Amino acid sequence: MTHQFVLRRPGHAGEISPMLPARDPRLPDDALELSSGEAADPAARITVDLAADGIVEVTLPPNSAVRAPEAQAAAAAVRAIADGRRHPVLLRVTGVLSVTEDARLSYSNSVIVSACALLGESPVDRVIAHFLLRARPGSLPGQFFTSEAEARDWLREHHSE
Protein backbone atom coordinates (compact mmCIF):
# COMPACT_ATOMS: atom_id res chain seq x y z
CA MET A 1 0.00 0.00 0.00
CA THR A 2 1.27 3.50 -0.73
CA HIS A 3 0.83 7.00 0.61
CA GLN A 4 0.02 9.63 -1.98
CA PHE A 5 0.85 13.27 -1.66
CA VAL A 6 -1.21 16.06 -3.12
CA LEU A 7 1.04 18.62 -4.79
CA ARG A 8 -0.39 22.05 -5.53
CA ARG A 9 1.50 24.73 -7.41
CA PRO A 10 0.89 28.49 -7.52
CA GLY A 11 -1.16 29.90 -10.35
CA HIS A 12 -3.74 27.15 -10.24
CA ALA A 13 -6.35 28.91 -8.14
CA GLY A 14 -8.30 26.22 -6.39
CA GLU A 15 -7.04 23.53 -8.74
CA ILE A 16 -5.16 20.54 -7.48
CA SER A 17 -2.61 19.02 -9.78
CA PRO A 18 -2.75 15.28 -10.28
CA MET A 19 -1.47 13.11 -7.46
CA LEU A 20 2.26 12.55 -7.55
CA PRO A 21 2.46 8.98 -8.87
CA ALA A 22 3.92 6.32 -6.63
CA ARG A 23 6.69 5.71 -9.14
CA ASP A 24 7.55 9.30 -10.04
CA PRO A 25 11.16 9.28 -11.32
CA ARG A 26 12.04 12.17 -8.96
CA LEU A 27 11.38 9.95 -5.93
CA PRO A 28 13.36 6.96 -4.64
CA ASP A 29 11.78 3.63 -5.61
CA ASP A 30 10.70 2.86 -2.05
CA ALA A 31 9.83 6.41 -0.96
CA LEU A 32 6.10 5.87 -0.86
CA GLU A 33 5.99 2.28 0.36
CA LEU A 34 5.18 1.14 3.87
CA SER A 35 6.90 -1.86 5.38
CA SER A 36 4.78 -4.94 5.94
CA GLY A 37 2.34 -4.68 8.80
CA GLU A 38 1.94 -0.90 8.55
CA ALA A 39 -1.59 -0.04 7.57
CA ALA A 40 -2.18 3.11 5.60
CA ASP A 41 -5.31 5.12 6.25
CA PRO A 42 -6.34 6.62 2.90
CA ALA A 43 -7.90 9.62 4.68
CA ALA A 44 -4.66 10.32 6.57
CA ARG A 45 -2.42 11.77 3.87
CA ILE A 46 0.48 14.14 4.20
CA THR A 47 -0.06 17.01 1.81
CA VAL A 48 2.73 19.05 0.29
CA ASP A 49 1.77 22.33 -1.40
CA LEU A 50 3.76 25.16 -2.92
CA ALA A 51 1.92 28.39 -2.11
CA ALA A 52 1.97 31.42 -4.39
CA ASP A 53 4.27 33.21 -1.92
CA GLY A 54 6.94 30.50 -2.29
CA ILE A 55 6.28 28.85 1.07
CA VAL A 56 6.14 25.07 0.96
CA GLU A 57 3.23 23.89 3.11
CA VAL A 58 3.40 20.41 4.62
CA THR A 59 0.38 19.13 6.53
CA LEU A 60 0.81 16.04 8.68
CA PRO A 61 -2.36 13.96 9.08
CA PRO A 62 -4.18 14.51 12.39
CA ASN A 63 -4.85 11.55 14.68
CA SER A 64 -1.90 9.61 13.30
CA ALA A 65 1.61 8.58 14.19
CA VAL A 66 4.17 9.80 11.66
CA ARG A 67 6.87 7.20 10.99
CA ALA A 68 10.01 7.24 8.84
CA PRO A 69 8.38 5.99 5.59
CA GLU A 70 5.82 8.80 5.64
CA ALA A 71 8.43 11.40 6.60
CA GLN A 72 10.86 10.23 3.90
CA ALA A 73 8.15 10.34 1.25
CA ALA A 74 7.06 13.81 2.35
CA ALA A 75 10.67 15.02 2.29
CA ALA A 76 11.06 13.60 -1.23
CA ALA A 77 7.89 15.42 -2.33
CA VAL A 78 9.22 18.69 -0.86
CA ARG A 79 12.51 18.22 -2.74
CA ALA A 80 10.60 17.50 -5.95
CA ILE A 81 8.53 20.68 -5.84
CA ALA A 82 11.44 22.79 -4.57
CA ASP A 83 13.28 21.94 -7.78
CA GLY A 84 16.71 22.57 -6.26
CA ARG A 85 15.85 25.95 -4.72
CA ARG A 86 15.74 26.71 -0.99
CA HIS A 87 12.26 27.41 0.35
CA PRO A 88 10.74 28.23 3.72
CA VAL A 89 8.48 25.46 5.04
CA LEU A 90 5.24 25.73 7.01
CA LEU A 91 4.77 22.39 8.77
CA ARG A 92 1.28 21.83 10.19
CA VAL A 93 1.35 19.45 13.15
CA THR A 94 -2.20 20.01 14.46
CA GLY A 95 -3.59 16.82 15.96
CA VAL A 96 -0.59 14.59 15.23
CA LEU A 97 -0.38 11.88 17.87
CA SER A 98 3.34 11.16 17.65
CA VAL A 99 6.45 11.39 15.49
CA THR A 100 9.11 8.68 15.63
CA GLU A 101 12.80 9.47 16.06
CA ASP A 102 13.53 8.20 12.54
CA ALA A 103 10.80 10.44 11.10
CA ARG A 104 12.22 13.41 12.98
CA LEU A 105 15.66 12.79 11.49
CA SER A 106 14.12 12.57 7.99
CA TYR A 107 12.62 16.04 8.42
CA SER A 108 15.79 17.55 9.86
CA ASN A 109 18.13 16.43 7.08
CA SER A 110 16.71 18.64 4.35
CA VAL A 111 19.13 21.00 2.65
CA ILE A 112 16.42 22.80 0.65
CA VAL A 113 14.62 24.20 3.70
CA SER A 114 15.67 27.77 4.51
CA ALA A 115 13.45 28.14 7.60
CA CYS A 116 10.72 26.05 9.22
CA ALA A 117 7.63 27.31 11.02
CA LEU A 118 5.65 24.63 12.83
CA LEU A 119 1.96 25.37 13.19
CA GLY A 120 -0.31 23.80 15.79
CA GLU A 121 -3.12 24.52 18.22
CA SER A 122 -2.71 22.51 21.40
CA PRO A 123 -0.06 21.93 24.06
CA VAL A 124 0.50 18.46 22.54
CA ASP A 125 1.13 20.09 19.14
CA ARG A 126 3.71 22.34 20.83
CA VAL A 127 5.48 19.33 22.37
CA ILE A 128 5.61 17.55 19.00
CA ALA A 129 6.88 20.73 17.33
CA HIS A 130 9.65 21.14 19.88
CA PHE A 131 10.55 17.44 19.48
CA LEU A 132 10.98 18.09 15.75
CA LEU A 133 12.94 21.30 16.32
CA ARG A 134 15.40 19.53 18.65
CA ALA A 135 16.57 17.16 15.89
CA ARG A 136 19.44 19.43 14.85
CA PRO A 137 19.41 22.53 17.05
CA GLY A 138 20.71 25.61 15.32
CA SER A 139 20.86 23.95 11.89
CA LEU A 140 18.16 26.24 10.50
CA PRO A 141 15.74 28.80 11.87
CA GLY A 142 12.68 27.09 13.32
CA GLN A 143 9.84 28.13 15.60
CA PHE A 144 6.39 26.99 16.79
CA PHE A 145 3.29 29.13 16.12
CA THR A 146 -0.43 28.94 16.84
CA SER A 147 -1.23 31.64 14.25
CA GLU A 148 -0.74 30.90 10.55
CA ALA A 149 -0.45 34.61 9.72
CA GLU A 150 2.35 35.05 12.27
CA ALA A 151 4.07 31.89 11.03
CA ARG A 152 3.98 33.11 7.42
CA ASP A 153 5.29 36.56 8.42
CA TRP A 154 8.14 34.94 10.37
CA LEU A 155 8.99 32.68 7.43
CA ARG A 156 9.17 35.63 5.06
CA GLU A 157 11.55 37.40 7.50
CA HIS A 158 13.80 34.34 7.90
CA HIS A 159 13.86 33.09 4.33
CA SER A 160 17.17 33.42 2.52
CA GLU A 161 17.88 32.06 -0.95
Side-chain angles (χ1 to χ4, degrees):
M1 196 161 234
T2 61
H3 281 274
Q4 294 185 333
F5 297 85
V6 178
L7 298 179
R8 287 181 275 248
R9 297 195 183 269
H12 295 69
E15 288 182 26
I16 297 176
S17 66
M19 292 277 189
L20 184 65
R23 293 292 176 225
D24 187 293
R26 297 172 293 184
L27 300 176
D29 288 340
D30 62 349
L32 299 176
E33 295 181 3
L34 294 172
S35 61
S36 62
E38 292 180 305
D41 176 3
R45 295 183 305 188
I46 297 174
T47 60
V48 179
D49 306 321
L50 179 59
D53 60 3
I55 295 174
V56 176
E57 301 172 354
V58 179
T59 303
L60 302 182
N63 301 314
S64 66
V66 178
R67 295 178 296 272
E70 294 92 352
Q72 291 165 354
V78 169
R79 284 191 304 275
I81 65 171
D83 197 27
R85 293 182 308 275
R86 290 173 52 87
H87 285 275
V89 171
L90 177 67
L91 180 60
R92 291 184 180 93
V93 297
T94 303
V96 171
L97 300 176
S98 66
V99 176
T100 67
E101 178 72 21
D102 288 341
R104 176 173 80 157
L105 293 174
S106 295
Y107 286 122
S108 70
N109 287 329
S110 179
V111 294
I112 58 97
V113 176
S114 61
C116 186
L118 293 99
L119 183 63
E121 299 172 357
S122 72
V124 173
D125 297 340
R126 182 180 296 274
V127 169
I128 288 178
H130 286 283
F131 174 72
L132 289 167
L133 290 170
R134 276 190 340 197
R136 288 175 47 189
S139 60
L140 65 95
Q143 190 168 324
F144 177 75
F145 295 89
T146 56
S147 161
E148 183 169 343
E150 289 177 14
R152 294 182 94 75
D153 288 344
W154 182 87
L155 283 170
R156 283 188 283 274
E157 290 173 17
H158 287 83
H159 172 59
S160 60
E161 250 333 293

